[in-house]
Amino acid sequence: MAKRVFEVWKGSNKFILGGRFIFGPDARSLVVTLSLIIVPVVLFCVFVARHLRHAFSPYNVGYAILVVAILFTIYVLILLFLTSARDPGILPRNLHPPEEEFRYDSSASVEVGGRQTPSLQFPRTKEVMVNGIPVRVKYCDTCMLYRPPRCSHCSICNNCVERFDHHCPWRNYRYFFMFVSSATLLCIYVFSISALYIKVLMDDNHATVWKAIQDSPTSVVLMIYCFISLWFVGGLTGFHLYLIGTNQTTYENFRYRAENRINVYNLGCVNNFKEVFCTKVKPSKNNFRALAQEEEPPPRPVGRPTAREATGGEEDSVQDDLEIGEDLLKISQRRNVEEMDDEIRCRGSNGGAPHNTSDVESVLSSDHHRAATVRDETRHSSWGRRSGSWEIAPEVLVNSTVTERRSFSSSKET
């Protein structure tokens, strides 16, 4: 039964719902992220927002606090799902190296069947032009492709991702930034309303801050939690605002700073923001639900014979001719020996006897000499016929016939 692409995918991704959604290998951490968002909001709605429904005039205006908290949380969760469950820009892997990039290094040759064959080499890098400036791109041995500019191989997902940004959320970068910034606003909202509830308790009960905290300890816990979270999501929002304004990724920011390189992708602050938020999101280059294709053998470069074709075919034809020639020689020698035995018996019956065994040995040695000659001629004849053909070279048949006749005549003379 044919499998689908997501079933045979070589990356470390996790797929759900028949390949409709793709996650990273750390998909379980998504559960932790969900709990860090949902649990505080549930506590906020139950212990804070619910008590503020009738705290303002008109009487039911406090319901807006509860509704805003629920809707804003749903919005943040949707952005989280769009960030983590979509293709971040994975480049499809090649089944074989790019044929147009084959290079042959004659200096580093490999001996195949007694012949020197040039070894196959790949240039590890090549240059492409970006905004009039040459940029060097690298060859990926895992995906067997030259990475486009700003592309890198994610060690976590084991995929080449275009415009890679630490753990590859770039094609989803718009949703990623909106998620981080929205989470920052949600923290500010929960912190502010929790502090407001403490103020309401102080005003209603004419109590001190300590008394209000004792009346609603959950509000204080939520304020501390949101304050700590703001250092993470708020700092991340500010950092990515800088990256968007300068048209960089996190990976490029650290690399350019370490290597003192010029950012060739900077189009100006306004154009950089337009590129992130106002351009159309590119569709995925992978159809994970499509039927997987069987891997084809890598193509052979045009004009270059393979080692099998260069040496193996000739060796096979030589071996075939040698075997056929040896069979013919064995047949002819067997006939010679039988005829000699018959001749000796005939002479013995007529009262004659062979002079000595030296004549027989001389005949056999001459047959061995002829066998070696025929084998050499057979080896020579194999180069003249097509590989894979079962036709016997004419020279083999002629030599074998001559060998039979000479052997027959010599046996009579003996």
Side-chain angles (χ1 to χ4, degrees), residues 161-375:
V161 181
E162 55 185 356
R163 205 165 180 176
F164 171 80
D165 193 321
H166 71 293
H167 199 12
C168 59
W170 185 261
R171 180 171 287 174
N172 309 327
Y173 186 71
R174 180 184 305 176
Y175 305 111
F176 170 75
F177 178 80
M178 293 173 66
F179 162 71
V180 173
S181 58
S182 299
T184 302
L185 295 177
L186 182 60
C187 287
I188 295 174
Y189 179 78
V190 172
F191 181 90
S192 302
I193 299 301
S194 298
L196 178 63
Y197 183 52
I198 295 293
K199 181 66 169 60
V200 169
L201 290 176
M202 292 175 59
D203 294 340
D204 292 346
N205 300 328
H206 303 285
T208 61
V209 176
W210 179 250
K211 180 61 176 175
I213 291 175
Q214 289 179 340
D215 292 339
S216 180
T218 306
S219 299
V220 179
V221 173
L222 290 173
M223 291 174 63
I224 296 174
Y225 175 79
C226 292
F227 179 78
I228 296 174
S229 300
L230 275 174
W231 285 98
F232 293 97
V233 293
L236 201 58
T237 301
F239 177 64
H240 280 279
L241 280 173
Y242 163 74
L243 293 180
I244 294 173
T246 56
N247 203 338
Q248 298 182 75
T249 64
T250 307
Y251 177 76
E252 291 170 348
N253 178 259
F254 287 101
R255 187 177 64 178
Y256 292 163
R257 188 186 308 170
E259 300 177 1
N260 294 324
R261 295 175 58 181
I262 301 175
N263 183 12
V264 300
Y265 307 105
N266 192 353
L267 305 176
C269 184
V270 176
N271 291 329
N272 292 337
F273 272 90
K274 286 182 178 180
E275 182 179 355
V276 174
F277 295 105
C278 300
T279 56
K280 184 179 179 180
V281 178
K282 297 179 181 179
S284 174
K285 295 182 179 180
N286 302 280
N287 186 3
F288 297 108
R289 290 178 50 78
L291 295 177
Q293 298 179 355
E294 296 182 359
E295 293 190 5
E296 299 177 355
R300 180 176 60 84
V302 179
R304 293 284 182 175
T306 61
R308 176 67 177 174
E309 294 176 353
T311 59
E314 295 174 353
E315 292 178 354
D316 291 344
S317 61
V318 171
Q319 188 65 27
D320 294 341
D321 285 347
L322 288 176
E323 292 177 356
I324 295 173
E326 289 176 357
D327 292 339
L328 293 175
L329 290 173
K330 290 178 180 178
I331 295 173
S332 62
Q333 290 175 359
R334 189 181 301 113
R335 290 179 179 176
N336 294 337
V337 173
E338 292 176 354
E339 292 175 355
M340 290 173 60
D341 291 341
D342 295 339
E343 184 70 18
I344 292 172
R345 292 193 191 97
C346 292
R347 291 188 179 184
S349 61
N350 294 330
H355 298 283
N356 51 31
T357 59
S358 60
D359 295 337
V360 178
E361 293 178 354
S362 62
V363 173
L364 293 177
S365 61
S366 63
D367 287 339
H368 285 295
H369 177 70
R370 293 191 191 99
T373 304
V374 173
R375 180 175 301 181

